[in-house]
Amino acid sequence: MSDALPDRPVPQALPLEGRYVLIFFLDGVGLGSSDPRINPFVSAQMPHLTRLLGCEEWYLRANGRLSSARASMAPTDTTMQLPGRPQSATGQAAILTGRNIPRLVGEHYGPKPNRAVAALIEEGTLFHEVAAAGRRAALLTPYPAGYFEAIESGKRLYSAVPLAVTSAGWPLFSADELRNGRAVSPGFTGQAWRDLLGYDDVPILTLPEAGRQIAAIASTYDLSFFEHWPSDRAGHRGTLSEAVSHLEMLDSVFGGLLETWDDQRGLLIVTSDHGNIEEKDHRLHTANPVPTILVGQGHQQAASTIYNLADIAPVVRRALGLDATKEHRL
């Protein structure tokens, strides 16, 4: 059974071998309408992403594909040809495996993987493939001590991304990596680690500094993944104006990241698992496409092959020169 959409172009080899890839994951960020009463993107000031894509209203669902000299954006389907509202576990698993996980398990499921989703993640992801190739991979977002204790006791389950990382044999980062500048907090500055978690010795970063640090750390790995989950929380909770502020915060981080990103060696992929924050008139996930933004050499050709979440992993494989036979079209 194929998950290919009608008239999908056959992906061609991309001139990206030997370079590194950062997947900058934004949970719950979709492309929405032009209504400022609903969509916080309309009111948010996001000069860095606007300049990157060369379009003032790049965040609108109606715009379709965009491309500039430096970047391309592909609206990316998250429904995966299955009815219902897309969910985190199956969407993230599709990104990590290149497989139509919702169809394989028969439903959109989340937020944490159930046994069926977990089994498909453990069967193999990009993290497994990088490990098998003798290359280096890392999840750049750290976890506090209480998280590891809850996992060890069985009181907490891994979400899709840390499950992919640990099942491939890679360690999760902790406060040690955050202190030493080898990781960046999901909230970017590290302030919440001090205020809410009691880690008084972690460094405090400005938003642009956080972006620059993410870019620097990513350059030391073949594949890295940065997971920003608070964007989904901003969709489920809070006011429209708070969502506007959240988006403006993200743009400041991207300003720092893009300032130092090496377009010749690095491929930056910004994507999401489902929509949410772009419709603040309710607190549910949406079936809107999500923006997949690519920055780096060959971005336009790579973006032309992305239609749904399962199309992202093949771009990563080609960028890293991984075994093309690992591509799943089930």
Side-chain angles (χ1 to χ4, degrees):
M1 182 185 297
S2 171
D3 66 2
L5 296 180
D7 302 319
R8 179 195 300 269
V10 177
Q12 302 298 313
L14 300 174
L16 298 171
E17 289 80 0
R19 294 177 168 85
Y20 60 88
V21 175
L22 166 63
I23 299 176
F24 196 116
F25 175 75
L26 302 173
D27 200 327
V29 175
L31 298 169
S33 74
S34 60
D35 188 345
R37 298 168 300 176
I38 295 173
N39 188 352
F41 278 99
V42 179
S43 302
Q45 299 299 307
M46 305 184 75
H48 300 292
L49 288 175
T50 297
R51 184 163 54 248
L52 175 70
L53 292 166
C55 179
E56 288 285 343
E57 298 181 324
W58 60 269
Y59 48 80
L60 295 182
R61 184 176 56 238
N63 281 339
R65 293 174 179 267
L66 298 172
S67 190
S68 68
R70 192 180 182 191
S72 295
M73 186 186 76
T76 305
D77 173 56
T78 65
T79 65
M80 310 291 285
Q81 301 178 329
L82 198 71
R85 294 182 185 272
Q87 300 297 324
S88 295
T90 43
Q92 292 166 26
I95 294 170
L96 292 164
T97 63
R99 307 176 73 180
N100 191 332
I101 301 296
R103 287 187 68 192
L104 288 172
V105 302
E107 63 179 332
H108 297 290
Y109 191 87
K112 303 291 180 65
N114 59 11
R115 190 59 247 167
V117 176
L120 291 170
I121 291 173
E122 291 164 349
E123 188 176 303
T125 68
L126 292 170
F127 286 104
H128 293 77
E129 294 167 34
V130 171
R135 314 277 286 279
R136 300 185 73 223
L139 174 59
L140 304 186
T141 37
Y143 294 87
Y147 175 88
F148 295 101
E149 293 166 2
I151 292 291
E152 183 67 23
S153 68
K155 295 179 180 179
R156 185 166 189 164
L157 298 175
Y158 285 129
S159 57
V161 178
L163 177 62
V165 173
T166 56
S167 64
W170 302 105
L172 296 179
F173 288 170
S174 68
D176 289 339
E177 284 79 16
L178 185 59
R179 292 187 188 100
N180 296 326
R182 299 195 301 271
V184 176
S185 166
F188 303 115
T189 66
Q191 191 66 54
W193 280 67
R194 291 195 178 194
D195 295 345
L196 303 178
L197 299 174
Y199 287 88
D200 295 334
D201 57 347
V202 301
I204 300 299
L205 305 176
T206 67
L207 296 172
E209 284 173 343
R212 289 192 287 270
Q213 186 159 307
I214 293 168
I217 301 169
S219 70
T220 67
Y221 293 95
D222 297 287
L223 172 66
S224 55
F225 195 105
F226 184 87
E227 185 174 20
H228 178 72
W229 53 262
S231 46
D232 190 49
R233 183 177 62 185
H236 286 304
R237 307 176 188 175
T239 65
L240 179 66
S241 62
E242 288 170 339
V244 170
S245 297
H246 193 95
L247 295 175
E248 292 178 344
M249 174 194 69
L250 287 173
D251 191 71
S252 295
V253 174
F254 281 117
L257 192 157
L258 293 167
E259 175 188 331
T260 51
W261 187 256
D262 184 346
D263 289 10
Q264 296 304 306
R265 295 184 56 237
L267 178 65
L268 169 63
I269 303 175
V270 181
T271 195
S272 186
D273 50 355
H274 54 73
N276 186 353
I277 197 173
E278 77 283 1
E279 291 186 3
K280 286 296 291 177
D281 57 335
H282 60 83
R283 298 181 183 274
L284 302 173
H285 292 176
T286 75
N288 289 327
V290 299
T292 297
I293 301 171
L294 297 98
V295 180
Q297 189 177 0
H299 63 81
Q300 188 169 21
Q301 185 179 354
S304 72
T305 69
I306 295 176
Y307 286 79
N308 69 35
L309 294 178
D311 295 324
I312 294 170
V315 168
V316 176
R317 293 185 182 112
R318 292 191 295 274
L320 296 178
L322 297 174
D323 187 353
T325 64
K326 295 291 186 181
E327 296 190 13
H328 299 284
R329 308 312 303 169
L330 299 178

